[in-house]
Each structure stands twice: as C-alpha cells, then as structure tokens.
Amino acid sequence: GLMQGKIFRKDEIEIPLKDEMEIVGFYLYLQGQRFRDMISYEIIWEDRGLERCKIPRLSVEPLVENAMIHGFEPKGETGYIRVDIRRKDESRLWIIVEDDGVGFDMEKWNEQMKEEGGHPRVGVMNIQRLIQNLYGEAYGLKIHSHPGNGTMVELVLPLTMENLI
C-alpha cells in the first residue's frame, strides 16, 4: 500500500485525504512493527466527511516521516506521533502532525536558512513550495518546535471536495 501511494500514483497531483491518510497509516504501521512497543500513534478526524477533501499527494506522509526520522529516532526511547485533521473554518482544512521527539531550536534553524540561502529541510520546503504554487500564499506550513519538547507542523489547505488542479 505504501509503494502504491508513493510510486504508482505519481501522475496524480491531488488525491482524496482518505487516500493520503491510508499512505500515512501504512507508513506508521511499518514503523510500529520496526520499533515494536517503542512508538505509539494516533490519527484523529474531527469529521469523517473530511475524508473526501482533495489535497496534494504526499503532502502529509513526508511530515509524518520527518517526525519519525528527526524527532523519534534520535530520541532513542518511546515516542508518540499524532495526526489531527479538522476544519480551520468554512474554507480551510487544517492538518497537524505532532510528535514528542527531540525537537529543535527554531532560532538556530532560521539562522541556518539565512546563512545557507535555503532551507535545511528540503522535503518540508518542497511541500511548502508546492502548496503555495498550487493554492497561493494563504496556504502552507507552519512549524513550531522546542528542543526536548517535540515538534508540531500545521498544514493549511483549501477545503474542497473537488480537484482544483
């Protein structure tokens, strides 16, 4: 299922949120098997009607993958990842990916961005660019993190049940 979502649907720009969350579920299941009793996760739907919303393919799964790789794995102990899906208002979808991993210093991260002339997390910036190119500056990612306290990524997208692209 993970392979189908990542490789075989590459021609699709937007997919139903339900399909994206199936990809996330496959990834979390595999990581759960890999780390056994060390990781727990939860996917929370405010409203199951949101399953039909159209979102860019692979806009949530890489955020969950980042939580595993950059948050949980360096921690070396039990961890938790939560994906929260809700309406932000009548026109926007809000997806929050939160972990209790190692976190990072946002000030240092912002300094790195300025010094390197880019973003230290290429995958995250690719998602940000894609979303803003597709839907405009009102949409995209917001990242909140503190060393030792995990990271929260907010993804804001248009709330639509039909492909915009």
Side-chain angles (χ1 to χ4, degrees), residues 102-112 121 145-148 150-151:
V102 297
F104 59 92
D105 186 321
M106 291 292 296
E107 286 182 34
K108 286 183 182 177
W109 190 59
N110 288 328
E111 286 174 25
Q112 267 187 311
R121 310 271 174 154
S145 190
H146 301 282
T151 300

Side-chain angles (χ1 to χ4, degrees), residues 46-113:
E46 174 188 60
D47 174 358
R48 282 294 186 168
L50 296 173
E51 290 179 335
R52 295 186 337 262
C53 289
K54 299 292 185 159
I55 68 166
R57 182 180 70 85
L58 297 178
S59 56
V60 179
E61 189 277 339
L63 301 177
V64 172
E65 197 170 324
N66 273 357
M68 281 295 301
I69 293 168
H70 300 292
F72 172 71
E73 286 183 20
K75 187 176 175 182
E77 56 189 62
T78 59
Y80 174 74
I81 295 174
R82 183 179 80 185
V83 181
D84 196 356
I85 303 161
R86 60 187 60 230
R87 291 176 197 265
K88 191 161 177 83
D89 53 38
E90 291 305 309
S91 64
R92 294 184 292 171
L93 176 66
W94 195 27
I95 302 170
I96 301 165
V97 177
E98 190 169 11
D99 68 70
D100 68 350
V102 297
F104 59 92
D105 186 321
M106 291 292 296
E107 286 182 34
K108 286 183 182 177
W109 190 59
N110 288 328
E111 286 174 25
Q112 267 187 311
M113 283 176 39

Side-chain angles (χ1 to χ4, degrees), residues 107-153:
E107 286 182 34
K108 286 183 182 177
W109 190 59
N110 288 328
E111 286 174 25
Q112 267 187 311
M113 283 176 39
K114 290 176 188 172
E115 289 173 10
E116 297 174 10
H119 201 288
R121 310 271 174 154
V122 175
V124 169
M125 280 317 293
N126 285 342
I127 295 169
Q128 176 77 344
R129 268 191 231 103
L130 173 67
I131 290 167
Q132 290 186 341
N133 286 339
L134 293 174
Y135 310 121
E137 297 290 319
Y139 303 100
L141 300 171
K142 289 183 184 172
I143 301 170
H144 311 275
S145 190
H146 301 282
N149 291 328
T151 300
M152 179 175 73
V153 179

